[in-house]
Amino acid sequence: ITLPGVDVEVHSDAVPEKVEQAISIASMMMGTRYAWGGKTSEGIDCSGLVQSAFRAVGINYPRDAYQQAYVGSLVATRWHRAGLRRGDLLYFLGRNGRINHTAIYLGNDQYLEASRGDVHYTSFNPDDDHYSEAKDASFCFAKRLLE
């Protein structure tokens, strides 16, 4: 089959440098205590972690998880996670059925989040020591900011 070039999009699995930089910045917050509404090394919440990391590399991003969820391209859902790539932003549902949590996907089922006391790694893999059944069940979708 021959397709006209204008009808074809080629996507790369390569992670943009700005996204890698944002992950590096967010990772420096490991162990920082969780503080609702926080955006500093004195205390940070999930959306503050994401917003601060991306703002540090020049990407303006909304403050709260439910606002952040409107930005980017949908790349995965709770039922179809194969499209996840390092640097994608994960969104989770609260008991009220609304987005109330976000995290940064690192690859290999691991993600970086601010919750349960501090900034730490969590996993979607039930065999991993950092697995959270509750987070796995509440995962809703993932978005990608940059291609």
Side-chain angles (χ1 to χ4, degrees):
I1 296 175
T2 303
L3 296 174
V6 297
D7 293 332
V8 177
E9 289 184 39
V10 177
H11 296 276
S12 170
D13 286 336
V15 178
E17 184 59 31
K18 279 190 174 191
V19 173
E20 285 293 351
Q21 291 169 349
I23 291 170
S24 178
I25 290 164
S27 296
M28 288 190 284
M29 298 297 281
M30 281 288 292
T32 300
R33 79 175 178 84
Y34 176 86
W36 185 80
K39 293 192 334 178
T40 71
S41 60
E42 296 296 313
I44 197 160
D45 68 7
C46 64
S47 54
L49 177 68
V50 170
Q51 183 193 44
S52 297
F54 281 90
R55 180 167 284 160
V57 298
I59 299 171
N60 289 323
Y61 206 50
R63 173 61 182 99
D64 295 321
Y66 77 91
Q67 296 166 324
Q68 294 173 356
Y70 287 107
V71 181
S73 301
L74 183 67
V75 293
T77 67
R78 67 175 41 202
W79 303 281
H80 300 284
R81 299 180 188 184
L84 283 171
R85 181 178 80 190
R86 181 174 169 82
D88 289 343
L89 301 176
L90 309 175
Y91 295 95
F92 301 82
L93 296 174
R95 291 186 185 129
N96 62 2
R98 295 181 180 157
I99 299 296
N100 76 342
H101 185 62
T102 186
I104 303 171
Y105 187 69
L106 302 173
N108 298 318
D109 290 329
Q110 302 284 317
Y111 53 96
L112 184 65
E113 65 173 338
S115 73
R116 292 182 294 127
D118 65 2
V119 176
H120 57 271
Y121 297 118
T122 307
S123 178
F124 284 130
N125 182 346
D127 296 326
D128 191 302
D129 290 340
H130 298 115
Y131 176 69
S132 168
E133 185 176 0
K135 290 282 173 53
D136 195 11
S138 69
F139 172 67
C140 187
F141 58 82
K143 294 276 193 100
R144 185 167 299 151
L145 291 182
L146 301 174
E147 282 297 328

